[in-house]
């Protein structure tokens, strides 16, 4: 029996376009709002940018974990009475796309903040909590979760301090040394579809 494409597959292109746009909007708006907010507590701009970058990375990590757990629960439930015409995988995906509001975003936000609190690369004044940028984290968790429902899913590039700067993955920040070959630190992650860059990130290069 041939399987008809599910609703998730039929709407894949339009959902992908919306999510790519939204990720770009977060970079342009919520990221800058978070930057402004953090600058009231932290004078070191590098630390502010590191905090935001790590928040983005941890948001994707938390959202991918939440998606995997959600998908397992949905598959276990739907497999009991599944008969077609769609494949079980398509039926599961359709259900998740229709019921994304069941994703516990707050649990993902809490997980991100917990991970940030133990990250040795970033520090925060003890009287303040990373919860001050929870608006940014929440939006990133929501978008990252939705990106897992795409075929293929979207993810962010893995970045490390000291890596060779890639013109295809990143823009240099305005305060970079434009002759430097290595990334000092990342400002924003590149958005990827498998090995293809969909949206460039931002990095600082220094000698």
């Amino acid at each position: 029996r041939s399987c008809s494409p599910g609703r998730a597959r039929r709407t894949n292109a339009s959902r992908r376009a919306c999510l790519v746009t939204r990720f770009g909007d977060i970079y342009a708006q919520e990221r800058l709002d978070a930057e402004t907010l953090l600058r009231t507590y932290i004078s070191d701009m590098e630390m502010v940018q590191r905090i935001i970058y790590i928040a983005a990375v941890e948001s994707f990590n938390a959202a991918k974990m939440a998606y995997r757990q959600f998908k397992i629960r949905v598959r276990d439930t739907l497999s009991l009475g599944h008969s077609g015409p769609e494949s079980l995988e398509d039926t599961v995906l359709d259900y998740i796309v229709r019921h994304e509001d069941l994703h516990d975003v707050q649990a993902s936000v809490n997980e991100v903040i917990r991970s940030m609190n133990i990250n040795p690369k970033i520090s925060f004044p003890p009287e303040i909590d990373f919860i001050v940028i929870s608006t940014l984290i929440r939006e990133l968790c929501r978008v990252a979760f939705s990106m897992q429902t795409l075929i293929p899913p979207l993810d962010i590039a893995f970045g490390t301090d000291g890596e060779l700067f890639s013109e295809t993955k990143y823009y240099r920040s305005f305060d970079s040394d434009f002759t430097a070959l290595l990334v000092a630190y990342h400002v924003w992650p590149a958005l990827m579809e498998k090995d293809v860059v969909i949206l460039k990130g931002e990095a600082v290069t220094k000698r």
Side-chain angles (χ1 to χ4, degrees):
R1 181 173 57 186
S2 64
C3 293
S4 61
R7 181 174 177 274
R9 288 183 184 275
R10 293 196 303 272
T11 61
N12 194 70
S14 59
R15 289 187 297 112
R16 180 184 180 280
C18 288
L19 289 167
V20 170
T21 299
R22 183 70 191 109
F23 187 75
D25 289 345
I26 292 172
Y27 168 75
Q29 188 60 56
E30 280 89 348
R31 177 186 68 92
L32 293 180
D33 291 345
E35 203 173 87
T36 302
L37 198 56
L38 288 173
R39 286 305 296 273
T40 62
Y41 306 108
I42 304 170
S43 58
D44 180 7
M45 188 59 174
E46 177 178 332
M47 181 56 68
V48 166
Q49 291 180 324
R50 281 182 179 275
I51 286 170
I52 290 172
Y53 175 76
I54 287 169
V57 171
E58 293 297 347
S59 293
F60 268 79
N61 289 341
K64 286 187 289 186
M65 176 65 75
Y67 179 78
R68 283 195 294 271
Q69 293 169 344
F70 190 48
K71 188 175 182 181
I72 288 168
R73 291 198 303 273
V74 172
R75 186 190 290 119
D76 287 348
T77 303
L78 295 183
S79 63
L80 299 174
H82 178 72
S83 60
E86 295 178 5
S87 68
L88 177 60
E89 281 303 302
D90 276 2
T91 304
V92 168
L93 193 56
D94 285 354
Y95 181 92
I96 295 172
V97 168
R98 283 199 307 272
H99 298 93
E100 279 189 55
D101 55 317
L102 296 178
H103 164 220
D104 187 351
V105 185
Q106 188 56 48
S108 293
V109 172
N110 295 343
E111 178 59 28
V112 171
I113 292 171
R114 188 197 65 76
S115 297
M116 292 176 71
N117 281 329
I118 59 173
N119 191 305
K121 285 188 178 179
I122 52 177
S123 58
F124 215 37
E127 68 277 10
I128 309 299
D129 192 281
F130 287 120
I131 203 163
V132 297
I133 57 167
S134 59
T135 299
L136 171 70
I137 295 169
R138 180 178 298 276
E139 288 307 303
L140 282 166
C141 285
R142 190 174 281 139
V143 165
F145 184 91
S146 296
M147 285 178 171
Q148 304 316 300
T149 69
L150 298 174
I151 307 165
L154 298 182
D155 200 356
I156 51 174
F158 177 74
T160 56
D161 293 353
E163 70 179 340
L164 194 64
F165 178 76
S166 167
E167 293 278 1
T168 57
K169 276 187 187 174
Y170 301 104
Y171 295 108
R172 277 186 170 89
S173 288
F174 71 93
D175 54 344
S176 291
D177 178 341
F178 279 69
T179 63
L181 298 178
L182 302 180
V183 172
Y185 64 94
H186 299 79
V187 175
W188 193 250
L191 187 65
M192 310 288 291
E193 186 176 73
K194 293 186 175 177
D195 297 325
V196 179
V197 178
I198 304 301
L199 285 178
K200 282 188 181 185
E202 185 180 339
V204 175
T205 54
K206 288 179 182 174
R207 288 191 177 278

